[in-house]
Amino acid sequence: EVRLVESGGGSVQAGGSLTLSCLLVGSADADLRMGWYRQVQMNECELVASIRSDGNTYYDPSVKDRFIISQDNAQNTVSLQMGSLKPDDTHVYFCALDTQIRRLTQCRSKIVRQWGQGTLVSVCS
């Protein structure tokens, strides 16, 4: 059984930085993508960033040049460094394991292979 264990998140002033980390417990196919969604509507999640084991990355245009996703394959960990944070970045963020890039999906949708528990990022102006 695969589990995703998140850490990080919290509150920060606008312009500040936070780092989210996601530990994959178990084993997963090497061609899967790990990434971060954030809940933007009642039950809608948008993909913030994702990365594949070969280093291929995706970023939502709203975070490109501000966020960096990275992976440590030896530690089975993916991290999201968030910089120049804005109040609009305030959301619950979910780590996710998926087979493809899905820009929008229902939060906790079963078409996504696995979800983390979610962590709140709050940016104060």
Side-chain angles (χ1 to χ4, degrees):
E1 179 185 352
V2 172
R3 289 189 298 121
L4 300 176
V5 181
E6 300 158 353
S7 60
S11 297
V12 66
Q13 293 286 331
S17 301
L18 281 174
T19 297
L20 306 180
S21 294
C22 180
L23 170 66
L24 187 152
V25 179
S27 63
D29 294 339
D31 60 348
L32 294 178
R33 307 185 71 92
M34 281 184 69
W36 295 89
Y37 283 91
R38 60 189 182 187
Q39 187 170 357
V40 293
Q41 299 289 345
M42 178 67 78
N43 200 27
E44 183 177 78
C45 275
E46 71 175 8
L47 183 62
V48 177
S50 73
I51 189 167
R52 200 169 55 196
S53 60
D54 64 357
N56 178 270
T57 58
Y58 165 85
Y59 292 95
D60 183 88
S62 69
V63 306
K64 201 172 175 63
D65 299 328
R66 298 190 297 124
F67 291 9
I68 299 172
I69 191 167
S70 60
Q71 62 188 354
D72 183 335
N73 291 331
Q75 299 294 325
N76 280 351
T77 299
V78 170
S79 297
L80 184 68
Q81 297 172 268
M82 305 184 292
S84 301
L85 283 163
K86 307 173 183 179
D88 284 349
D89 294 317
T90 296
H91 297 288
V92 175
Y93 286 70
F94 295 91
C95 180
L97 181 67
D98 204 352
T99 58
Q100 63 187 75
I101 294 169
R102 304 179 203 273
R103 293 194 61 191
L104 287 173
T105 190
Q106 185 179 33
C107 296
R108 298 196 176 279
S109 169
K110 291 183 178 174
I111 62 172
V112 174
R113 188 68 62 90
Q114 188 66 33
W115 293 88
Q117 75 273 20
T119 186
L120 176 63
V121 171
S122 179
V123 184
C124 307
S125 58

